[in-house]
Amino acid sequence: MILGNLSGSSEFRLLGFSGISPLHPFLFVVLLCLYILTLMANTVIAFIINSDRSLHTPMYFFLTQLSCLDICYLSVIIPTILENLMVGTVSISKTRCAMQMFFFLFFGVAECFLLAAMSLDRYFAICCPLHYTIIISSRVCRGLVFGAYICGTAVGLVHTLITFSSPLCGSAIDHFFCEIQPVLDLLCGSTFPREMQVIVVAVFAILSPFLLILYSYIRIISTILHMASAESQQKAFSTCSSHLLVVTLFYGTAGSMYLRPKSTYCASVDKFLSLSYSVVTPLLNPIIYSLRNKEVKGALKKKWRKSKLVWK
């Protein structure tokens, strides 16, 4: 039944930014530039970390995974937005729409749990420094990343299959990609069970890792405040300030999108929030980590000096 529903010939129409057609060329150029900058910034961060042995630590291993997730996450959405801005309303098959929703959820949920794993890394580094290398081993790091991908796969599969196995009435999606809420609005009959499904998914995928992050940082801040010298406090806080800023950006935008009642939903506001956490945040992540991290800045300068010597 599910496969049959997904493989049908019917299509959806993504309305995108149909209300501001005169601005389409400008938005196309802006988003294309942001997309290229994001790809370049995250690729550079991943390359620098992999090529510099001094950065082969758990924290930077997680950062490499975050950069890869941001690239994939953005690449699920941006091509459809650019297509929408070029041709106006985009027709998309049910199969492609379902795949887009799955990968959107997969990468988004995996990033939620990856940020939680990164907070655990900072917790053990600051609160249990003597046992840090034993607890956060390379095997544990790989296990945490694998667990994040498993959670992303589970949420993406369950939510996508349940949504697209239900009868759908209508074909116009008032969004620029197959976002969860606009697709749910097409369900026939009462949407309450599916709305509860979204809330359950949001609690599991957003709230539970956020609570783990919150607990980790409460313990981290408590440990930092009990350190003897101001220099030690500053050094400890500098190791987690970048991650804390990235968490605030990601959870602030994602939480405002999915952890609010349906009565407050507005299509234009939802599109703006979607752009914030799907386009702006992946661009800011590498900038935050490169500007606020001395080791990354040092590795970048080293590579820059070597490249200049090669070209000479």
Side-chain angles (χ1 to χ4, degrees), residues 120-287:
L120 281 179
D121 170 70
R122 292 300 83 208
Y123 165 74
F124 286 114
I126 294 172
C127 300
C128 309
L130 298 179
H131 303 287
Y132 172 67
T133 54
I134 299 173
I135 298 172
I136 307 296
S137 62
S138 58
R139 182 178 179 181
V140 170
C141 291
R142 289 193 296 270
L144 289 171
V145 170
F146 182 72
Y149 290 146
I150 288 295
C151 291
T153 302
V155 171
L157 274 177
V158 170
H159 188 85
T160 303
L161 290 177
I162 290 176
T163 299
F164 284 88
S165 63
S166 305
L168 297 172
C169 299
S171 60
I173 298 176
D174 191 9
H175 215 283
F176 46 77
F177 74 103
C178 291
E179 170 66 287
I180 300 167
Q181 188 58 46
V183 175
L184 288 178
D185 289 340
L186 300 181
L187 292 177
C188 301
S190 175
T191 61
F192 179 76
R194 297 296 178 259
E195 289 166 16
M196 291 303 298
Q197 170 193 324
V198 172
I199 293 173
V200 171
V201 169
V203 168
F204 171 72
I206 299 177
L207 197 57
S208 56
F210 176 75
L211 291 175
L212 178 59
I213 293 170
L214 185 63
Y215 172 78
S216 298
Y217 273 103
I218 289 173
R219 295 294 302 273
I220 287 170
I221 292 170
S222 176
T223 301
I224 290 174
L225 292 176
H226 284 86
M227 289 180 175
S229 66
E231 185 181 351
S232 299
Q233 291 178 343
Q234 185 177 1
K235 185 178 179 181
F237 186 73
S238 67
T239 64
C240 57
S241 58
S242 298
H243 176 256
L244 188 58
L245 187 54
V246 167
V247 166
T248 303
L249 283 170
F250 184 82
Y251 277 93
T253 51
S256 61
M257 181 72 186
Y258 297 110
L259 296 175
R260 59 192 176 100
K262 186 186 176 183
S263 57
T264 64
Y265 274 80
C266 171
S268 57
V269 174
D270 292 349
K271 291 174 188 178
F272 172 76
L273 290 173
S274 294
L275 278 177
S276 298
Y277 70 74
S278 61
V279 178
V280 180
T281 303
L283 173 62
L284 291 178
N285 286 350
I287 295 174

Side-chain angles (χ1 to χ4, degrees), residues 31-32 34-40 42-43 66-83 92 96 99-108 111 176-178 274-275 277-283:
L31 288 176
L32 180 60
L34 286 176
Y35 183 46
I36 294 171
L37 282 173
T38 304
L39 292 179
M40 290 175 60
N42 282 286
T43 302
L66 181 64
S67 293
C68 293
L69 276 177
D70 281 339
I71 290 172
C72 296
Y73 184 68
L74 194 63
S75 297
V76 170
I77 301 168
I78 285 292
T80 305
I81 300 177
L82 295 177
E83 182 185 359
I92 182 171
R96 183 183 168 193
M99 289 179 65
Q100 190 176 63
M101 180 180 286
F102 166 75
F103 284 111
F104 168 74
L105 287 167
F106 169 69
F107 292 122
E111 185 158 336
F176 46 77
F177 74 103
C178 291
S274 294
L275 278 177
Y277 70 74
S278 61
V279 178
V280 180
T281 303
L283 173 62

